[in-house]
Amino acid sequence: MLNFHKVIAEDWDLNLLLGTSAEDTHIQANSLRAENFSIPNFQSINNAENGDKYLNQVITDKRLLGVYGEFRAGYKNLAFFSVTGRNDWSSTLPIQNRSFFYPSVSGSLIFTELMEKNDMLSFGKLRASYAQVGKDAPAYQTNTYLFGPELTIGGGYRNAWTRGNDQLKPETTTSMEFGTELKFLKNRLGLDFTYYQNNSKDQILQPRVSNATGYILSYVNTGEIENKGFEISLNATPIKRDHFTWDMMLNFSHNKGVVKSLPAALPILYVTDVQVGNGKAASFGNGNFMGLSGSTWQKDADGNLLLDWETGNPLTSTLTTTPIGNREPDFIGGLTNNFTYKNWDFSFLFDFRKGGDILNGTEYLMTTYGLSKETENRGQTLTFTGKSLNPVTKEYETVTREVIATEKYYRDIYANNTPFFVEKVNWLRLRSVSLTYSLPSSILKRSKFSKVLLLM
């Protein structure tokens, strides 16, 4: 790393940094397993015949090379500008894509330096930045491998669960940020506001693929995801006396994640194979990044519930790709209060969250097992009104049907309407409380300690 520094006419402060880096990562994981113990309940690797001992070793090697530079300029401690650039070469990407470059540029202006000093606005700064960040793939995802020899299927080899992708490209995130920092009343009141927009292209994720391909998972570049939002931080000192001070800080943020595009013609992307019933986390093309998908009761274009002509039960959609919720909260935040009296310091933090959907898996399982409060009316009659296809006239008619709330109804009809198990998340909770006491300096004069805190 090389550093250059030059001051010109006491007005300009210039800095230049040039460097290079090489990073090698080696991970070795060993696992040893024994089966069919000779002495029951005696757990030891030596308590088994050699044919019942299995050793597995996984070695991962990765290399990342990079060159980078940064130029910073400051003018009279009121205006600042910087530009950076970095190029990396990664061993985890295909040869044609393993080199990737990403720059950044930022600037700020302390505009209160151009104003007369006053007690109302003590400090004011405007800032803006544009930056790109590159990211490589996990190791060994460009090739497809075989496992074996297999002992459980009579020998031979089988495909790995994950299909290789020799066309992987580096992931790129581009961000823009605008903000301001203001302090009022001799720094007794402060405001920090930031608006940002992040666009991640070619995100490297491992979704499920069709089992017809012979594999279960595959790392792919997943199109573009956009995050927009803002962050607000307010700090204040309502009371400041000789021996007592009260400081408080409020943080508040909102983010909206949208999938701008998905690879090929995918309408939905599952980043996990975990699901409860027919519900699972999903990202929708031109929709929510942190969405929820599931099956629903069918409705017509006018919103009328569709009923089975014979049974009267609501018809359940066979599709599990219907958007049924968004896991992203409307906003989150925290409020910190800190009280200082002489050597005592007392602080506590509240955090809060508004909105965001969750799939209540506990409620789903209790319903299918008949343990939920919703199933207390088993055996009673339910009434549904909606549209139903008359098998004789082949026309949809408005009908009212009565259905007995049997075990089969809750397990096969009710439980397949996944929105019944989606709930909003709101909370206000006390996150932490702390009380500290600083021992007086007079007690520590003859000791080697300058300060001792007692935490409670």
Side-chain angles (χ1 to χ4, degrees):
M1 183 184 298
L2 298 176
N3 289 279
F4 302 90
H5 180 224
K6 179 69 174 179
V7 176
I8 301 177
E10 298 184 356
D11 291 337
W12 291 93
D13 192 316
L14 307 178
N15 291 271
L16 177 65
L17 181 148
L18 300 173
T20 182
S21 65
E23 179 181 308
D24 287 323
T25 303
H26 176 82
I27 301 174
Q28 179 173 312
N30 300 314
S31 64
L32 192 61
R33 186 177 89 251
E35 299 176 353
N36 300 320
F37 287 158
S38 300
I39 303 174
N41 300 323
F42 175 52
Q43 298 180 9
S44 171
I45 199 66
N46 296 318
N47 188 23
E49 300 294 334
N50 289 335
D52 292 325
K53 298 177 182 179
Y54 305 92
L55 171 65
N56 184 54
Q57 184 180 77
V58 178
I59 297 176
T60 303
D61 287 304
K62 175 182 176 181
R63 173 169 290 178
L64 184 69
L65 302 178
V67 293
Y68 54 89
E70 178 187 30
F71 173 74
R72 291 182 288 116
Y75 178 70
K76 291 186 176 180
N77 287 324
L78 64 90
F80 303 89
F81 172 80
S82 71
V83 58
T84 70
R86 182 182 177 100
N87 198 97
D88 284 334
W89 292 264
S90 173
S91 65
T92 66
L93 293 169
I95 294 178
Q96 70 273 19
N97 296 330
R98 64 177 42 172
S99 174
F100 49 101
F101 174 78
Y102 45 98
S104 75
V105 59
S106 64
S108 62
L109 173 67
I110 304 177
F111 60 87
T112 46
E113 294 293 321
L114 303 175
M115 303 165 50
E116 293 185 1
K117 299 295 182 182
N118 63 87
D119 294 338
M120 178 58 68
L121 181 60
S122 312
F123 178 84
K125 180 170 72 173
L126 299 174
R127 60 178 183 270
S129 66
Y130 169 89
Q132 283 189 338
V133 176
K135 181 182 178 181
D136 58 4
Y140 309 132
Q141 298 306 320
T142 57
N143 296 328
T144 302
Y145 303 95
L146 295 176
F147 285 167
E150 293 295 329
L151 302 178
T152 58
I153 58 175
Y157 296 83
R158 65 173 176 83
N159 289 335
W161 288 357
T162 301
R163 180 183 61 186
N165 184 351
D166 61 359
Q167 300 300 315
L168 278 178
K169 297 182 290 185
E171 178 181 320
T172 302
T173 298
T174 303
S175 63
M176 293 184 294
E177 182 179 301
F178 306 92
T180 183
E181 183 180 352
L182 305 172
K183 294 182 180 180
F184 304 91
L185 306 176
K186 296 182 179 180
N187 300 332
R188 294 281 295 272
L189 180 65
L191 168 67
D192 196 310
F193 174 82
T194 301
Y195 172 82
Y196 63 86
Q197 176 177 322
N198 298 332
N199 290 77
S200 297
K201 292 185 177 181
D202 301 321
Q203 278 204 319
I204 300 174
L205 297 177
Q206 189 185 46
R208 288 182 62 94
V209 296
S210 171
N211 289 356
T213 64
Y215 305 92
I216 299 177
L217 303 169
S218 178
Y219 276 97
V220 297
N221 295 107
T222 61
E224 181 179 357
I225 297 172
E226 179 181 84
N227 283 282
K228 288 182 178 180
F230 61 85
E231 299 174 352
I232 299 175
S233 178
L234 292 169
N235 58 80
T237 305
I239 301 176
K240 189 173 184 180
R241 298 289 187 265
D242 292 339
H243 299 296
F244 179 77
T245 303
W246 173 22
D247 296 313
M248 60 186 304
M249 175 177 288
L250 172 67
N251 295 308
F252 180 91
S253 64
H254 164 78
N255 183 79
K256 177 66 174 178
V258 176
V259 179
K260 305 294 287 186
S261 65
L262 287 175
L266 287 177
I268 187 172
L269 177 68
Y270 296 111
V271 296
T272 176
D273 59 351
V274 177
Q275 70 180 67
V276 176
N278 290 331
K280 64 167 61 176
S283 297
F284 297 92
N286 296 314
N288 294 321
F289 172 62
M290 296 184 65
L292 281 172
S293 72
S295 59
T296 60
W297 286 352
Q298 294 185 35
K299 295 182 178 181
D300 62 14
D302 296 325
N304 296 305
L305 190 64
L306 298 183
L307 305 178
D308 184 276
W309 182 267
E310 299 295 335
T311 66
N313 286 322
L315 295 176
T316 302
S317 171
T318 57
L319 298 176
T320 60
T321 58
T322 304
I324 60 171
N326 183 14
R327 293 173 290 135
E328 193 165 48
D330 297 331
F331 60 81
I332 58 175
L335 176 63
T336 302
N337 284 272
N338 188 82
F339 300 91
T340 303
Y341 176 71
K342 294 185 178 179
N343 291 357
W344 290 93
D345 187 274
F346 175 69
S347 65
F348 57 91
L349 167 64
F350 284 101
D351 69 0
F352 53 86
R353 167 178 169 143
K354 173 65 171 64
D357 297 316
I358 64 167
L359 182 62
N360 191 335
T362 301
E363 178 64 19
Y364 170 82
L365 291 175
M366 292 179 66
T367 298
T368 57
Y369 293 156
L371 301 175
S372 170
K373 187 174 181 61
E374 294 294 328
T375 64
E376 285 183 344
N377 64 339
R378 285 192 302 276
Q380 297 183 13
T381 300
L382 305 177
T383 302
F384 293 101
T385 299
K387 295 285 188 177
S388 187
L389 180 63
N390 189 322
V392 177
T393 63
K394 306 299 181 181
E395 298 286 340
Y396 279 94
E397 301 177 7
T398 300
V399 297
T400 298
R401 294 283 191 267
E402 291 185 345
V403 173
I404 303 299
T406 62
E407 174 188 353
K408 180 177 175 58
Y409 165 79
Y410 280 108
R411 187 180 63 247
D412 297 338
I413 306 299
Y414 184 92
N416 283 331
N417 190 38
T418 314
F420 281 153
F421 308 100
V422 175
E423 302 175 4
K424 291 290 184 182
V425 179
N426 303 297
W427 73 55
L428 172 64
R429 56 191 180 187
L430 181 62
R431 171 69 71 174
S432 64
V433 179
S434 68
L435 177 64
T436 63
Y437 178 74
S438 301
L439 292 179
S441 57
S442 58
I443 299 178
L444 303 175
K445 284 183 178 180
R446 297 182 180 181
S447 70
K448 297 181 180 180
F449 301 99
S450 60
K451 187 174 184 180
V452 175
L453 295 178
L454 301 179
L455 304 178
M456 289 165 274

